Structures are given as structure tokens and as C-alpha cells.
Amino acid sequence: MTQPPPPPNQPPQQPGFGPPQDPSQQQPAQSSQQQPPSAPAGGPDLNKAPEPGYGYPQAPQPSAPPAAPQGPGYGYPQQQQQQQQQPAAGYGYPGQAQPGPYGQPQQPGAYGQPGYGQPGYGYPQPATMPMQPQPGGGGKKFNSQIAIIVSAVVAIALIVGGGVWYASSSGKDDDSKNTAGGDGKNKTNGGGGGENGSGSGSSGAQEKAPADTGSKVLFQVPAPKTPKDVTSISTAGSWLTDTVYAKSGIAEVVGYDRAKGTKKWTIDLPGPVCEGSGRTTEDNKTAIIFKPDMPTKGDPQSCTQVAVIDLETGKEVWTKTAQSGTMPISFNNVTVSGGTVAAGSTSGGAAWDVATGKQLWAPKTSDSCYDSGYAGGAKLVAVRKCGEYEARQLHIQNIDPKTGKVITEYKMDEGIEYAAVVSTDPLVVAADVGDSAGDGSGISDFFSVDNKTGKLRTRISAPGEDFAARCDAIYKIEKCSGLAVGNDRLYIATEEHDGSGESYGQTNEIVAFDLATGKQTGQRADAGDDYEIYPLRMDGNNVLAYKRPPYDKGGQIVSIDGGTFKQTTLMENPATENVRDVEARMSPDYAEILFSKGGLYMSSVYASDFSAGTDRKEYLVIAFGTS
């Protein structure tokens, strides 16, 4: 996991944010530290408490034969602007590798992203440089001082180039976004829901192993060219229906035949898509945020436009904006729940009816708090911020999607600045308490909350040095990876560690925590030597996971039985060099990965000109399918 960004400056508190509060629903603050249980033999030492400034995880590299040593061209650590990294004695890298420019996370400040140039706010933007993931090569540590020197050179190159990049390198392909949940009115993007799974075994599972699990490339979509003088631009958003794979391009959303890759429809937009909801309605409508015009060096534009699009017909149903006072809101996140589209920001939140576009709420002048974001699916949950920076209190609110009225509320301990919603039903929240994760993952603890009462069920300690999950709690409230929630359990990937025997590769596991007790269940799914395994989403009571392959094999999709934890391979991708090269660049830490009905769709969230002048061909999408 990566190094944390420097804390943002305090945004000015404007009157009037978010839906109306119901004081009678407020609950007293809860605080209960759950001690981490021991892991099974071979896993991380979960009794090891996180140490501030130490415990940085080994930056992983793609598995390679012993004869291929690791050189300084691989495994650059992330270098955050305005933050100097110090080596942790005896702990390998000071940071972990990141994906290439086409698989990097959306950062405020880059072209095509929310928050950059937004009036009245002074968040420093973490400027970092992406490096292309490289297939093959190395697997062990190299000197951390060399890594820091390399990072400094990268930062200088960034400043000279004037672009806003996100650091990356060859090895760390952690996971895709968690896509659990569904309430009968809303669907999880890419397949059936899993937030409300119960029991054990494969009950409700939709994904079955084919007679031949070997896949073939269905189609590839070349990366689009960025506009003149624009270094990188957002292409966030991808969706699956029974017949369509839809993907954001530059200022457009395109619907492809999910088997052939032929274009079925195109929605043209005036500016790039900043963010797309991972939720869809039963009739395949979803929500996006986009810019009103194309960004330029002089005017990066803000993410003020919220739209509902129909993924079957390729039609833009409606487009709306909202204001905080007299200023248009630049939104950071958007979700769908119960017939409502809700979008949050540092200026507060707003919501609209999916079918009609009628505004349901917007920031109010009488409020002293604001809704920084929402999570959807089975429930609609708001993360509401109150108080000054470094004395903040977060209110995790289960709200009525039609009115914004607070149904139940959990108040987190004061001083926790950011929180992400991992699941809305059951309600699970991730936070970096006291900035103790030390690795930029945004997670030191998980909080299991009773949706009916707003009371804390249990708190699970998840040290960053032991677990590979991550959340973008600052801007994209429900964008988490390396985990899934179902069967009233939290399934989480462990950090990578050396494989067995003489292997130079890395491996890891998926382990499960009981959301009622906070204890490990004893279930464990091993990736196997030279593979790394990460949850994608629930499939009924089963966990769907992606296995990042070694240098000479293709990736795999496996189904993990929710009761026995037995793994069943659903897909194995081709091991040919040209296919591996494209798949390796789709880092599951940041790339959008959707799997459904024998189809795997991997796509980038950025387009850039980083490969201009080279003969390297970049791709926006690669799709695989089994017979």
C-alpha cells in the first residue's frame, strides 16, 4: 500500500450543508477497541501492533525466476508532494509500488478530476508520478535509500514537467474495487449483490465454472488520445448489463457489445467523466459526474454536472447541478440507492430522483455540518462532517433516500478526519484512526455498526503492514479495494509476503472476520506461490476474487465457497506475452475490474500522453471470456 498524502488544509465551513438533521436520532459516541486475533500459520502476525513510522510493507514485484534480479528501474516508492519520506529501519521499502498511468487512482488536481481549481478551498494536491507496470523482473527488496533517491528524482521531473501524476511502479497489483450489495431496487455493478448474503455455502451464487476455464481475448479498446496540452484526463466509470459493457472515454460513454466489442451506442458529453457510480437500478440506469467543458491548462474545469444515463438504450436521461450559496458545487462522489442519486463534496451534498431528476435536497444555510459523501446500494449512508480540522467528528448516518432524514446515526470518535463506507448493509466503515496505518491505505480499523440502532457492534484492528485493503476515504467515500462484505463477515486480503521454498515471488491470502464479534473465523484462502489474491465482490454467499499472476502466466478468477472456503477456478487468462503485458498494466488496485457470466472486463481510469513518442501501445479496455 502507498504512502499517505499530506493532510489537506481546512476547507472553510460554509453555512448550509447536506440534508436536514433530526437531533432525536443522534446516538452517543461509541469507542471499543477490538484486539486483533492471531492468524493461521503462514499468514501475517495479527498480534503485532502497528508502529507509527514503521511497518511499511514490502513493495511487491511481479514474480520472476531467480536469474532475473531486481534493478533500480522497478519498484519506485510513491513520493508525495510536501512530504519527505524517511526509511524505516529494517523494513524494506518506505512505500509500495503503484500502477501505470492508465491504472492510476483519480487524484484531485489532475485534469478531469473533481476539486481541482474549486473556488474557496485550499487542499494541497498530492502530486506524484506514475511509472508503467512492467511484466517480469525481480521479486525481492532493494535498498530503501536508493528508493528514496529515485522518488526525489521523480518528484523533480514532475515539477519540471508541470503535470500532476500519481506514483506507480511495476509490482503492486492489489485489487479491484469491492462491488458488494443490492436491495432488489439497486444492483451491484458487474453482478449480483453480496452485502446481504447469509449462511454458508454457495446459496444464491450465479457464477458457475465452465467446462473449459481457459479464456480468450474478446476485444481490446485502444487508449484514447488526450487533448492538446493536457497531460492526463479521467476515463473513470465502467458498467455491465446482460448485453452491454459500457465504459467512459474522453468526454463520452460508449456501450459495447459485451461479447464482440462492437459499439452499440455513444453518449457524447461536453467534458470528461469525473466519476461514475458503481451502482445501477434494476432497469440498468446509473449516475455519473462530469465537467461542463474540456479542461485546458488555463481552465481545468470543475465536476459540476450530475447525470443519469440508461445503459441499455445509451440515452442521457437528465443532467442537473446544485449550488452551495451562490457557487456551483464541484462533486467528488456519486451513488445510487432506492431510486435516489446522491452526490457529495467538500461543499456538501445533494440528491435527485432517478426517474424525474427532481432535486430532493441540497446544502441548507442553517446547517453547520456538511455531507462529504454518500454510499448506496441496499441503504443510503451519508458521511457527515462536523467541527474544525483536527477536531473533526464524523457522523455515519443511515438516511431516508427520499427525504435525507436521518434514520440512525453513529458518531465516530473526535479527531478521525476521514472515513469510507465499505458496505451499507451490513454497515461497515473503514478509517485511519490517528493516521496510524502509516501506508496511505486509509485504513487502520474497521467499524461494524448496527443499522437499526446506530450503535457500534465491534471494531476490527487492521494494521496496514498486515492487510492489503485500501479506501479513498478523502474523496470517493465508497471506493475500496482488497475486501468484500457478505455473510455478516468482512473478507480482506493480507499483505504480500515471500512465498514458500526457493520462490522469488510474493503471495498472500484472503481471511475472514466476523462482523458481530470482530474475531477471525479461521477461514483462509491461499493465493498459492507466485500468485496474489484479492476479493472483487460477493456472488451470493461466495467470494469472487482475482488472482494476479506471476510473470509467465495469465490472471485467474476464482470463486471461494462462503462456508468451506474451497476455491473453484472460473477463468484463467492466456499466458502469451502480448496478452500478459496488457493485463499486467491493469493494476487491480486502481483499474476497474468487472466479472460476470464468464466475462472479465479490465479498464483504465485515465488516459494520458505518457507514452507519446514511443512504440508502446496502450489500451483503455481488455476483455476476456470463456466458452
Coordinates of all heavy atoms in Angstrom, one line a residue, residues 395-473:
H395 N -20.2 11.9 11.4 CA -21.4 11.2 11.7 C -21.7 10.3 10.6 O -21.9 10.7 9.4 CB -22.5 12.3 11.8 CG -22.3 13.3 12.9 ND1 -23.3 14.0 13.5 CD2 -21.2 13.7 13.6 CE1 -22.9 14.8 14.5 NE2 -21.5 14.6 14.5
I396 N -21.8 9.0 10.9 CA -22.2 8.0 9.9 C -23.7 7.8 9.9 O -24.2 7.2 10.9 CB -21.4 6.7 10.1 CG1 -19.9 6.9 10.3 CG2 -21.7 5.7 8.9 CD1 -19.2 7.6 9.1
Q397 N -24.4 8.2 8.9 CA -25.8 8.3 9.0 C -26.5 7.4 8.0 O -26.3 7.5 6.8 CB -26.3 9.7 8.8 CG -25.7 10.7 9.8 CD -26.1 12.2 9.4 OE1 -26.4 12.5 8.3 NE2 -26.2 13.0 10.4
N398 N -27.4 6.6 8.5 CA -28.3 5.8 7.7 C -29.5 6.8 7.4 O -30.2 7.1 8.3 CB -28.8 4.5 8.4 CG -29.8 3.7 7.6 OD1 -30.0 3.9 6.4 ND2 -30.4 2.8 8.3
I399 N -29.7 7.2 6.1 CA -30.7 8.2 5.8 C -31.8 7.7 4.9 O -31.5 6.8 4.1 CB -30.0 9.5 5.3 CG1 -29.3 9.2 3.9 CG2 -29.0 10.1 6.3 CD1 -28.7 10.4 3.3
D400 N -32.9 8.3 5.0 CA -34.0 8.0 4.0 C -33.7 8.6 2.7 O -33.4 9.8 2.5 CB -35.3 8.7 4.5 CG -36.5 8.3 3.7 OD1 -36.4 8.2 2.5 OD2 -37.6 8.2 4.3
P401 N -33.6 7.7 1.6 CA -33.2 8.2 0.3 C -34.1 9.1 -0.4 O -33.8 9.8 -1.3 CB -33.0 6.9 -0.5 CG -33.9 5.9 0.2 CD -33.9 6.3 1.6
K402 N -35.4 9.2 0.1 CA -36.3 10.1 -0.5 C -36.3 11.5 0.1 O -36.6 12.5 -0.5 CB -37.7 9.6 -0.4 CG -37.9 8.3 -1.2 CD -37.7 8.5 -2.7 CE -37.9 7.2 -3.5 NZ -37.5 7.4 -4.9
T403 N -35.9 11.6 1.4 CA -36.0 12.9 2.1 C -34.7 13.4 2.7 O -34.6 14.5 3.0 CB -37.0 12.8 3.3 OG1 -36.5 11.8 4.3 CG2 -38.4 12.3 2.8
G404 N -33.7 12.4 2.9 CA -32.5 12.8 3.5 C -32.6 12.8 5.0 O -31.6 13.0 5.7
K405 N -33.8 12.4 5.6 CA -33.9 12.4 7.0 C -33.1 11.3 7.6 O -33.0 10.2 7.1 CB -35.4 12.1 7.4 CG -35.7 12.1 8.9 CD -37.2 11.8 9.2 CE -37.4 11.7 10.7 NZ -38.8 11.4 11.0
V406 N -32.4 11.6 8.8 CA -31.6 10.6 9.5 C -32.4 9.6 10.2 O -33.3 9.9 11.0 CB -30.7 11.4 10.5 CG1 -29.8 10.3 11.2 CG2 -29.8 12.4 9.8
I407 N -32.2 8.3 9.8 CA -32.9 7.2 10.5 C -32.1 6.7 11.7 O -32.6 6.6 12.8 CB -33.0 6.0 9.5 CG1 -33.8 6.5 8.3 CG2 -33.7 4.8 10.1 CD1 -33.9 5.5 7.1
T408 N -30.8 6.4 11.6 CA -29.9 6.1 12.7 C -28.6 6.8 12.4 O -28.2 7.1 11.3 CB -29.7 4.6 12.9 OG1 -29.2 4.1 11.7 CG2 -31.0 3.9 13.2
E409 N -27.8 7.0 13.5 CA -26.5 7.7 13.3 C -25.5 7.1 14.3 O -25.8 6.8 15.5 CB -26.7 9.2 13.6 CG -25.5 10.0 13.6 CD -25.8 11.5 13.8 OE1 -26.0 11.8 15.0 OE2 -25.7 12.2 12.9
Y410 N -24.3 7.0 13.8 CA -23.1 6.6 14.6 C -22.1 7.7 14.6 O -21.7 8.1 13.5 CB -22.5 5.2 14.2 CG -21.2 4.9 14.8 CD1 -21.1 4.7 16.2 CD2 -20.0 4.9 14.0 CE1 -19.9 4.4 16.8 CE2 -18.8 4.6 14.6 CZ -18.7 4.3 16.0 OH -17.5 4.1 16.6
K411 N -21.8 8.2 15.7 CA -20.8 9.3 15.8 C -19.4 8.6 16.1 O -19.2 8.0 17.1 CB -21.1 10.3 16.9 CG -22.4 11.1 16.6 CD -22.7 12.1 17.7 CE -23.9 12.9 17.5 NZ -24.2 13.8 18.6
M412 N -18.5 8.9 15.2 CA -17.1 8.4 15.4 C -16.4 9.2 16.4 O -16.7 10.4 16.6 CB -16.4 8.3 14.1 CG -17.1 7.5 13.0 SD -16.1 7.1 11.6 CE -15.0 5.8 12.2
D413 N -15.3 8.7 17.0 CA -14.5 9.5 17.9 C -14.0 10.7 17.3 O -13.6 10.7 16.1 CB -13.4 8.6 18.5 CG -13.8 7.5 19.4 OD1 -15.0 7.5 19.8 OD2 -13.0 6.6 19.6
E414 N -13.9 11.8 18.0 CA -13.4 13.1 17.5 C -12.0 12.9 17.1 O -11.2 12.2 17.7 CB -13.5 14.1 18.6 CG -13.2 15.5 18.1 CD -13.4 16.6 19.2 OE1 -14.6 16.7 19.6 OE2 -12.4 17.2 19.6
G415 N -11.6 13.6 16.0 CA -10.3 13.6 15.5 C -10.1 12.7 14.3 O -9.0 12.7 13.7
I416 N -11.0 11.8 14.1 CA -10.9 10.9 12.9 C -11.4 11.8 11.7 O -12.6 12.2 11.6 CB -11.8 9.7 13.0 CG1 -11.3 8.8 14.2 CG2 -11.8 8.9 11.7 CD1 -12.2 7.6 14.4
E417 N -10.5 12.1 10.8 CA -10.8 13.1 9.7 C -11.6 12.5 8.6 O -12.4 13.2 8.0 CB -9.5 13.7 9.3 CG -9.6 14.9 8.3 CD -10.2 16.1 8.9 OE1 -10.1 16.2 10.2 OE2 -10.8 16.9 8.2
Y418 N -11.3 11.3 8.2 CA -11.9 10.7 7.0 C -12.4 9.3 7.3 O -11.8 8.6 8.1 CB -10.9 10.6 5.9 CG -10.2 11.9 5.6 CD1 -8.9 12.1 5.9 CD2 -10.9 12.9 4.9 CE1 -8.3 13.3 5.6 CE2 -10.3 14.1 4.6 CZ -9.0 14.3 5.0 OH -8.4 15.5 4.7
A419 N -13.5 8.9 6.6 CA -14.0 7.5 6.8 C -14.6 7.1 5.4 O -15.1 7.9 4.7 CB -15.0 7.4 7.9
A420 N -14.5 5.8 5.1 CA -15.1 5.3 3.9 C -16.1 4.2 4.3 O -16.0 3.6 5.4 CB -14.0 4.6 3.0
V421 N -17.2 4.1 3.5 CA -18.2 3.1 3.8 C -17.9 1.9 2.9 O -18.0 2.0 1.7 CB -19.6 3.7 3.5 CG1 -20.7 2.6 3.8 CG2 -19.8 4.9 4.3
V422 N -17.6 0.8 3.5 CA -17.2 -0.4 2.8 C -18.5 -1.1 2.4 O -18.5 -1.7 1.3 CB -16.4 -1.3 3.8 CG1 -16.1 -2.7 3.1 CG2 -15.1 -0.7 4.1
S423 N -19.5 -1.1 3.2 CA -20.8 -1.8 2.9 C -21.9 -1.0 3.6 O -21.7 -0.5 4.7 CB -20.8 -3.2 3.4 OG -22.0 -3.8 3.5
T424 N -23.1 -0.9 3.0 CA -24.2 -0.2 3.7 C -25.1 -1.1 4.4 O -25.9 -0.7 5.2 CB -25.0 0.7 2.6 OG1 -25.5 -0.2 1.6 CG2 -24.1 1.7 2.0
D425 N -25.1 -2.4 4.0 CA -26.0 -3.4 4.7 C -25.4 -4.8 4.6 O -25.5 -5.4 3.5 CB -27.4 -3.4 4.1 CG -28.4 -4.2 4.9 OD1 -28.1 -4.5 6.1 OD2 -29.4 -4.7 4.3
P426 N -24.7 -5.2 5.6 CA -24.5 -4.6 7.0 C -23.6 -3.4 6.8 O -22.8 -3.3 5.9 CB -23.8 -5.7 7.8 CG -23.1 -6.6 6.7 CD -24.0 -6.5 5.5
L427 N -23.7 -2.5 7.8 CA -23.0 -1.2 7.7 C -21.5 -1.4 8.3 O -21.4 -1.8 9.4 CB -23.7 -0.1 8.5 CG -23.0 1.2 8.6 CD1 -22.7 1.8 7.2 CD2 -23.9 2.2 9.3
V428 N -20.6 -1.2 7.4 CA -19.2 -1.4 7.8 C -18.4 -0.1 7.3 O -18.5 0.3 6.1 CB -18.5 -2.6 7.1 CG1 -17.1 -2.8 7.6 CG2 -19.3 -3.9 7.5
V429 N -17.7 0.5 8.2 CA -16.9 1.7 7.9 C -15.5 1.5 8.1 O -15.1 0.8 9.1 CB -17.4 2.9 8.8 CG1 -16.7 4.1 8.6 CG2 -18.9 3.1 8.6
A430 N -14.6 2.1 7.3 CA -13.2 2.0 7.4 C -12.6 3.4 7.7 O -13.1 4.3 7.1 CB -12.5 1.4 6.1
A431 N -11.6 3.4 8.6 CA -11.0 4.7 8.9 C -9.5 4.5 9.3 O -9.2 3.4 9.7 CB -11.8 5.4 10.0
D432 N -8.8 5.5 9.1 CA -7.4 5.5 9.6 C -7.3 6.4 10.9 O -7.2 7.6 10.8 CB -6.5 6.2 8.5 CG -5.0 6.0 8.9 OD1 -4.7 5.6 10.0 OD2 -4.1 6.5 8.0
V433 N -7.4 5.7 12.0 CA -7.5 6.3 13.3 C -6.2 6.9 13.7 O -5.2 6.1 13.8 CB -8.1 5.3 14.3 CG1 -8.2 6.0 15.7 CG2 -9.4 4.8 13.9
G434 N -6.1 8.2 13.9 CA -4.8 8.8 14.3 C -3.7 8.7 13.3 O -2.6 8.7 13.7
D435 N -4.1 8.5 12.1 CA -3.1 8.3 11.0 C -2.1 7.2 11.3 O -0.9 7.3 11.0 CB -2.3 9.6 10.7 CG -3.2 10.8 10.3 OD1 -4.2 10.5 9.5 OD2 -3.0 11.9 10.7
S436 N -2.6 6.2 11.9 CA -1.8 5.1 12.4 C -1.5 4.0 11.4 O -0.6 3.2 11.6 CB -2.4 4.4 13.7 OG -3.7 3.9 13.4
A437 N -2.2 4.0 10.3 CA -2.0 3.0 9.2 C -0.6 3.1 8.7 O 0.1 2.1 8.4 CB -3.0 3.1 8.1
G438 N -0.1 4.4 8.5 CA 1.3 4.6 8.1 C 1.6 4.2 6.7 O 2.8 4.2 6.3
D439 N 0.6 3.9 5.8 CA 0.9 3.4 4.5 C 0.0 4.0 3.4 O 0.1 3.6 2.3 CB 0.8 1.9 4.5 CG -0.6 1.4 4.8 OD1 -1.4 2.2 5.1 OD2 -0.7 0.2 4.9
G440 N -0.8 5.0 3.8 CA -1.7 5.6 2.8 C -2.9 4.8 2.3 O -3.6 5.2 1.4
S441 N -3.1 3.7 3.0 CA -4.3 2.9 2.6 C -5.6 3.5 3.1 O -6.6 3.1 2.6 CB -4.1 1.5 3.3 OG -4.2 1.6 4.7
G442 N -5.5 4.4 4.0 CA -6.8 4.9 4.6 C -7.5 4.1 5.6 O -8.6 4.4 6.0
I443 N -6.8 3.0 6.0 CA -7.4 2.0 6.9 C -6.5 1.6 8.0 O -5.4 1.1 7.7 CB -7.9 0.7 6.1 CG1 -8.8 1.1 5.0 CG2 -8.6 -0.2 7.1 CD1 -9.1 -0.1 4.1
S444 N -6.9 1.8 9.2 CA -6.2 1.2 10.4 C -7.2 0.3 11.1 O -6.9 -0.6 11.8 CB -5.7 2.2 11.3 OG -6.7 3.0 12.0
D445 N -8.6 0.7 11.0 CA -9.6 0.0 11.7 C -10.9 -0.1 10.9 O -11.1 0.8 10.1 CB -9.9 0.7 13.0 CG -8.8 0.7 14.0 OD1 -7.9 1.6 13.9 OD2 -8.7 -0.2 14.9
F446 N -11.7 -1.2 11.1 CA -13.0 -1.3 10.6 C -14.0 -1.2 11.7 O -13.8 -1.7 12.8 CB -13.2 -2.6 9.8 CG -12.4 -2.7 8.6 CD1 -11.1 -3.3 8.6 CD2 -12.8 -2.2 7.4 CE1 -10.4 -3.5 7.4 CE2 -12.1 -2.3 6.2 CZ -10.9 -3.0 6.2
F447 N -15.1 -0.5 11.4 CA -16.2 -0.3 12.4 C -17.4 -1.0 11.9 O -18.0 -0.6 10.9 CB -16.4 1.1 12.7 CG -15.2 1.9 13.2 CD1 -14.2 2.3 12.4 CD2 -15.1 2.2 14.6 CE1 -13.1 3.0 12.9 CE2 -14.0 2.8 15.1 CZ -13.0 3.2 14.2
S448 N -17.9 -2.0 12.6 CA -19.2 -2.7 12.3 C -20.3 -2.0 13.1 O -20.2 -2.1 14.3 CB -19.1 -4.2 12.6 OG -20.3 -4.8 12.4
V449 N -21.3 -1.5 12.4 CA -22.3 -0.6 13.0 C -23.7 -1.3 12.8 O -24.0 -1.7 11.7 CB -22.3 0.8 12.5 CG1 -23.4 1.6 13.2 CG2 -20.9 1.4 12.7
D450 N -24.5 -1.3 13.8 CA -25.9 -1.8 13.7 C -26.7 -0.7 13.0 O -26.9 0.4 13.5 CB -26.4 -2.1 15.1 CG -27.8 -2.8 15.0 OD1 -28.6 -2.4 14.2 OD2 -28.0 -3.7 15.9
N451 N -27.2 -1.1 11.8 CA -28.0 -0.1 11.0 C -29.3 0.3 11.7 O -29.8 1.4 11.5 CB -28.3 -0.7 9.6 CG -27.6 -0.1 8.5 OD1 -27.4 1.1 8.6 ND2 -27.2 -0.8 7.5
K452 N -29.8 -0.6 12.5 CA -31.1 -0.3 13.1 C -31.0 0.6 14.3 O -32.0 1.3 14.7 CB -31.8 -1.7 13.6 CG -32.1 -2.6 12.4 CD -32.8 -3.8 12.8 CE -33.2 -4.7 11.6 NZ -33.8 -6.0 12.1
T453 N -29.9 0.5 15.1 CA -29.8 1.3 16.3 C -28.7 2.4 16.2 O -28.7 3.4 17.0 CB -29.4 0.4 17.5 OG1 -28.1 -0.2 17.2 CG2 -30.4 -0.7 17.6
G454 N -27.8 2.3 15.2 CA -26.7 3.2 15.1 C -25.6 2.9 16.1 O -24.6 3.7 16.2
K455 N -25.6 1.8 16.8 CA -24.6 1.5 17.8 C -23.5 0.7 17.2 O -23.8 -0.1 16.3 CB -25.3 0.8 19.0 CG -26.2 1.7 19.8 CD -26.8 0.9 21.0 CE -27.7 1.8 21.8 NZ -28.3 1.1 23.0
L456 N -22.3 0.8 17.8 CA -21.2 0.0 17.3 C -21.3 -1.4 17.8 O -21.6 -1.7 18.9 CB -19.9 0.6 17.9 CG -18.6 -0.1 17.5 CD1 -18.3 0.3 16.0 CD2 -17.4 0.4 18.4
R457 N -21.2 -2.3 16.8 CA -21.2 -3.8 17.1 C -19.8 -4.2 17.5 O -19.6 -4.9 18.6 CB -21.6 -4.6 15.9 CG -23.0 -4.2 15.4 CD -23.3 -4.9 14.0 NE -23.4 -6.4 14.2 CZ -23.4 -7.3 13.2 NH1 -23.2 -6.8 12.0 NH2 -23.5 -8.6 13.4
T458 N -18.8 -3.9 16.7 CA -17.4 -4.2 17.1 C -16.5 -3.4 16.2 O -16.9 -2.8 15.2 CB -17.2 -5.7 16.8 OG1 -15.9 -6.1 17.4 CG2 -17.1 -6.1 15.3
R459 N -15.3 -3.4 16.7 CA -14.2 -2.6 16.0 C -13.1 -3.6 15.7 O -12.6 -4.3 16.6 CB -13.7 -1.5 16.8 CG -12.6 -0.7 16.2 CD -12.3 0.6 17.1 NE -11.1 1.2 16.8 CZ -10.7 2.4 17.3 NH1 -11.4 2.9 18.3 NH2 -9.5 2.9 17.0
I460 N -12.6 -3.6 14.4 CA -11.6 -4.6 14.0 C -10.3 -3.8 13.7 O -10.3 -3.0 12.8 CB -12.1 -5.4 12.8 CG1 -13.4 -6.2 13.1 CG2 -11.0 -6.3 12.2 CD1 -14.1 -6.7 11.9
S461 N -9.3 -4.2 14.3 CA -8.0 -3.6 14.0 C -7.4 -4.3 12.8 O -7.3 -5.5 12.7 CB -7.0 -3.7 15.2 OG -5.8 -3.2 14.9
A462 N -6.9 -3.4 11.9 CA -6.4 -4.0 10.6 C -5.1 -3.2 10.2 O -5.1 -2.3 9.4 CB -7.4 -3.9 9.5
P463 N -4.0 -3.5 10.9 CA -2.8 -2.8 10.6 C -2.4 -2.8 9.2 O -2.5 -3.9 8.5 CB -1.7 -3.6 11.5 CG -2.5 -4.2 12.5 CD -3.8 -4.6 11.9
G464 N -1.9 -1.7 8.7 CA -1.6 -1.6 7.3 C -0.4 -2.5 6.9 O -0.4 -2.9 5.7
E465 N 0.4 -2.9 7.8 CA 1.5 -3.7 7.4 C 1.1 -5.2 7.3 O 1.8 -6.0 6.7 CB 2.6 -3.7 8.5 CG 2.2 -4.1 9.9 CD 3.3 -4.0 10.9 OE1 4.4 -3.5 10.6 OE2 3.0 -4.3 12.1
D466 N -0.1 -5.5 7.7 CA -0.6 -6.9 7.6 C -1.7 -7.1 6.6 O -1.9 -8.2 6.1 CB -1.2 -7.3 9.0 CG -0.1 -7.5 10.0 OD1 1.0 -7.8 9.7 OD2 -0.4 -7.3 11.2
F467 N -2.4 -6.0 6.2 CA -3.6 -6.2 5.3 C -3.4 -5.2 4.1 O -2.9 -4.1 4.2 CB -4.9 -5.9 6.0 CG -5.1 -6.9 7.1 CD1 -4.9 -6.6 8.5 CD2 -5.6 -8.1 6.8 CE1 -5.1 -7.5 9.5 CE2 -5.9 -9.1 7.8 CZ -5.6 -8.8 9.1
A468 N -4.0 -5.7 3.0 CA -3.7 -5.0 1.7 C -5.0 -4.2 1.2 O -5.0 -3.8 0.1 CB -3.4 -6.0 0.6
A469 N -6.0 -4.1 2.0 CA -7.2 -3.3 1.6 C -6.8 -1.8 1.6 O -5.9 -1.4 2.3 CB -8.3 -3.6 2.6
R470 N -7.6 -1.1 0.9 CA -7.4 0.4 0.8 C -8.7 1.0 0.5 O -9.5 0.5 -0.2 CB -6.3 0.7 -0.2 CG -6.6 0.3 -1.6 CD -5.4 0.6 -2.6 NE -5.1 2.0 -2.6 CZ -3.9 2.5 -2.4 NH1 -2.9 1.7 -2.2 NH2 -3.7 3.8 -2.5
C471 N -8.9 2.3 1.0 CA -10.0 3.1 0.6 C -9.6 4.5 0.4 O -8.7 5.0 1.0 CB -11.0 3.1 1.8 SG -11.8 1.5 2.2
D472 N -10.3 5.1 -0.6 CA -10.1 6.5 -0.8 C -11.2 7.3 0.0 O -12.2 7.8 -0.5 CB -10.3 6.9 -2.3 CG -10.0 8.3 -2.6 OD1 -9.8 9.1 -1.7 OD2 -10.1 8.7 -3.8
A473 N -10.9 7.4 1.3 CA -11.9 8.0 2.2 C -12.0 9.5 2.1 O -12.9 10.1 2.6 CB -11.5 7.6 3.7

